[in-house]
Amino acid sequence: MSSPHPATPTARVLDETDEPTVRRLLATDPVAACVIAGRVEAAGTTTAALGAPLWGFGAGRSLEAVCLAGANLIPFALPGAEQAAAVAFAERARRAGRRCSTIVGPAAAVGPLWELLEPAWGPARDHRPRQPLLAIEGPPAVAPEPRVRPVRPAETDVLLPAAVAMFTEEVGVSPLRLDGGASYRARVADLVRAGQSVAWIEDGQVLFKAEIGAVSRGVCQVQGVWVAPAHRGRGIGTAGTAAVVEYARTTIAPVVSLYVNDFNTAARAAYARVGFREVGRFASVLF
């Protein structure tokens, strides 16, 4: 008698009863899980509260992996569970159709997921398989730039062109291409109001900017670090990032993290000078 074929791994949409289990899973790697953890801490695990479904993979009520299926598709899995979770998440993602602009998260989870989705969703506009995930706990190793401070709500219009320039430079397309930029402007304004946007603004010009784009109880993630092109090569990025670290760790969360493209040698050198160390690897697939 032949043995039955093993069942294809499946994922389910999580609800409020799963929140404690989700929190335990995300706590296994707080830096890598910061984005999802921050959303769960703020909104819980229901689709309605998150604004997107949170898929779960595991036997019974236990969880080995989750994937937030919103504007970004963000998988997170325990070591060793990435491949099986990718099969389950890819099956759901194919059925739902691509609604995300990016797949992003730990490289060990993103890699196998993209391998399965590429035949249906590809080709990607860009695939960045090696993005060092960095973290720092404690004060920066270099002096912070004292003129970097939280952006005031009245300065949102001053900040916006710099934010658009950073996004376009980093992602390769303008954030204004959809809905006239309304959703991007709203995101920038939300971060300013929350005290999560910092910049050095002089004479109505942004010399340096960054956002603390994700916040969980113990970790925050810096995003969108940018120096005005005319001011590059003068150490502003290093001193500015040091100021972001000092502000973030003392007012937002004790561990400050970010991820960087492996080919961006200037940024990686600056972050090393500030005192960041590599704690993992991210990957991004951009559409």
Side-chain angles (χ1 to χ4, degrees):
M1 186 175 171
S2 63
S3 59
H5 291 294
T8 301
T10 58
R12 60 188 176 86
V13 178
L14 302 182
D15 60 30
E16 66 273 5
T17 65
D18 295 295
E19 185 172 340
T21 315
V22 171
R23 284 176 176 257
R24 283 195 295 274
L25 171 66
L26 300 177
T28 62
D29 192 341
V31 175
C34 173
V35 174
I36 302 179
R39 296 279 297 275
V40 168
E41 287 170 16
T45 49
T46 68
T47 300
L50 285 169
L54 183 63
W55 301 333
F57 169 76
R61 301 300 289 181
S62 69
L63 287 172
E64 296 175 59
V66 293
C67 183
L68 185 60
N72 296 320
L73 194 67
I74 311 174
F76 176 86
L78 291 174
E82 296 97 347
Q83 189 65 51
V87 173
F89 295 150
E91 192 268 336
R92 270 204 171 267
R94 276 192 298 263
R95 273 194 287 134
R98 184 177 73 79
R99 301 173 187 176
C100 62
S101 60
T102 308
I103 305 172
V104 62
V110 170
L113 181 57
W114 175 235
E115 196 172 301
L116 293 167
L117 286 174
E118 187 174 13
W121 285 12
R125 193 169 49 77
D126 200 359
H127 179 205
R128 302 174 182 178
R130 293 172 298 277
Q131 297 176 300
L133 178 66
L134 312 177
I136 182 171
E137 189 170 3
V142 298
E145 169 51 62
R147 288 164 288 195
V148 171
R149 55 166 176 79
V151 178
R152 304 178 189 109
E155 295 172 316
T156 301
D157 286 343
V158 173
L159 176 68
L160 195 63
V164 170
M166 176 283 305
F167 187 101
T168 306
E169 193 175 311
E170 171 63 22
V171 179
V173 293
S174 170
L176 308 181
R177 72 193 190 286
L178 302 173
D179 68 18
S183 57
Y184 185 72
R185 181 190 165 83
R187 167 71 174 160
V188 170
D190 284 347
L191 289 168
V192 169
R193 277 193 298 273
Q196 291 170 228
S197 179
V198 292
W200 175 4
I201 299 173
E202 204 166 278
D203 298 326
Q205 298 293 315
V206 177
L207 277 65
F208 169 91
K209 63 155 280 287
E211 288 84 44
I212 298 97
V215 177
S216 68
R217 191 163 45 241
V219 182
C220 60
Q221 188 182 94
V222 175
Q223 301 169 356
V225 177
W226 181 84
V227 177
H231 297 277
R232 292 175 187 173
R234 293 166 40 189
I236 288 174
T238 301
T241 301
V244 177
V245 167
E246 190 58 24
Y247 171 73
R249 76 177 190 92
T250 54
T251 63
I252 295 175
V255 178
V256 183
S257 75
L258 55 80
Y259 61 98
V260 60
N261 292 317
D262 61 332
F263 52 80
N264 193 342
T265 51
R268 291 181 68 178
Y271 297 144
R273 286 193 292 273
V274 172
F276 281 93
R277 60 190 177 85
E278 190 167 337
V279 296
R281 179 176 288 178
F282 262 35
S284 302
V285 181
L286 286 67
F287 300 104

